[in-house]
Amino acid sequence: MRLTERFQDVLWIDANEYQLDLSFDNILRIHELKDDLEIDDKTRIELMFQMLVGSDLDLTLEQKVETIEYIFSEFVTKEKVQEKADTEDSSEETEQNKPKSYDLNKDADYIFASFFMDYGIDLIEKQGALHWRKFIALLNGLSEKTPFMQVIKIRTMEVPKANKHNQEERKRIKKLKRIYALERDEEDGNQVFDDMVNAFGGRPEGGE
């Protein structure tokens, strides 16, 4: 993003101009829609096109797919979340193999709290108003003290190799990684619940 440019969120189709909806919440809803397996592909494409272009044009399904891909490549994905985790090897192969450290939808609570902490911005009140590119710029500028950045730090930190001095530290890091993991199986989920219960003083008498 350049400070000397204005956002030209306009798409031309058959000599007609269409204003795109690139508010941050609309883009996030589209990402949610992409992952919704209960909706068939045709319906998903129709909904995504309507959400972005705001008009039910007489286009084939293939044309709508191409239009959506063009919008994302030219207007959306050029602005990316910067990975702030320290790494010595930033090669393309390493980037592809490393696990995700964040999810814009699953981490919504942390992002909301972080924007309010750093900028005093209530993202709920900014729905429909805050542009996607501004949202990403602000997200990338969050300070290390914010909940979102602290969670990313936990997810990306390495568990040190075991020695006779760091057993408690290894246990602490592993517990934090379980609590803030993006993906958990049932066993991990039960362990996270136990960790949270213990953190608040253990189970009450008579508990399972």
Side-chain angles (χ1 to χ4, degrees):
M1 185 172 72
R2 296 194 301 271
L3 298 179
T4 56
E5 69 177 339
R6 292 183 179 274
F7 300 140
Q8 300 294 329
D9 303 332
V10 173
L11 184 70
W12 289 88
I13 301 177
D14 295 334
N16 294 313
E17 179 182 302
Y18 298 90
Q19 184 69 38
L20 301 175
D21 183 354
L22 299 182
S23 57
F24 83 96
D25 50 300
N26 194 47
I27 300 302
L28 290 178
R29 289 190 187 98
I30 289 172
H31 279 293
E32 289 178 346
L33 187 60
K34 286 168 63 178
D35 297 332
D36 190 342
L37 300 180
E38 295 183 1
I39 301 177
D40 63 88
D41 290 341
K42 182 180 184 300
T43 302
R44 183 183 293 111
I45 291 166
E46 296 287 357
L47 287 172
M48 290 171 64
F49 187 87
Q50 180 69 28
M51 291 168 70
L52 286 167
V53 181
S55 181
D56 188 19
L57 300 179
D58 185 19
L59 300 176
T60 67
L61 198 63
E62 183 178 354
Q63 288 173 323
K64 289 184 177 181
V65 169
E66 292 174 351
T67 302
I68 293 169
E69 290 176 345
Y70 173 80
I71 293 171
F72 265 77
S73 65
E74 292 299 315
F75 296 93
V76 178
T77 56
K78 284 185 175 182
E79 306 297 326
K80 298 181 179 179
V81 180
Q82 299 287 331
E83 286 283 3
K84 295 187 178 182
D86 292 332
T87 177
E88 294 181 0
D89 185 357
S90 59
S91 65
E92 183 176 346
E93 182 177 355
T94 302
E95 292 292 320
Q96 291 176 347
N97 293 336
K98 72 179 182 180
K100 285 178 62 176
S101 61
Y102 67 90
D103 184 289
L104 294 180
N105 289 316
K106 293 180 181 179
D107 290 329
D109 286 350
Y110 304 129
I111 294 171
F112 176 89
S114 299
F115 269 62
F116 202 81
M117 174 187 276
D118 264 7
Y119 309 123
I121 292 176
D122 184 328
L123 286 175
I124 304 301
E125 294 180 354
K126 290 293 184 179
Q127 289 182 5
L130 181 62
H131 194 282
W132 171 253
R133 294 173 68 183
K134 293 181 181 180
F135 168 78
I136 293 298
L138 291 169
L139 189 69
N140 286 332
L142 288 172
S143 64
E144 297 296 328
K145 66 183 179 182
T146 56
F148 180 62
M149 294 310 302
Q150 286 295 311
V151 167
I152 288 181
K153 182 178 181 181
I154 290 168
R155 289 172 182 161
T156 56
M157 70 171 55
E158 293 186 4
V159 179
K161 293 182 179 180
N163 60 50
K164 61 181 180 181
H165 303 294
N166 67 356
Q167 292 183 8
E168 289 302 315
E169 177 66 6
R170 281 170 49 84
K171 186 185 299 184
R172 183 185 72 85
I173 293 174
K174 287 181 178 180
K175 179 184 290 187
L176 286 172
K177 283 183 169 291
R178 282 199 302 270
I179 291 172
Y180 294 107
L182 279 172
E183 304 293 342
R184 306 187 189 107
D185 56 29
E186 184 176 353
E187 182 178 351
D188 284 340
N190 291 335
Q191 183 62 56
V192 167
F193 179 75
D194 289 340
D195 291 341
M196 295 176 69
V197 168
N198 292 332
F200 285 96
R203 298 177 186 275
E205 291 185 10
E208 292 294 331

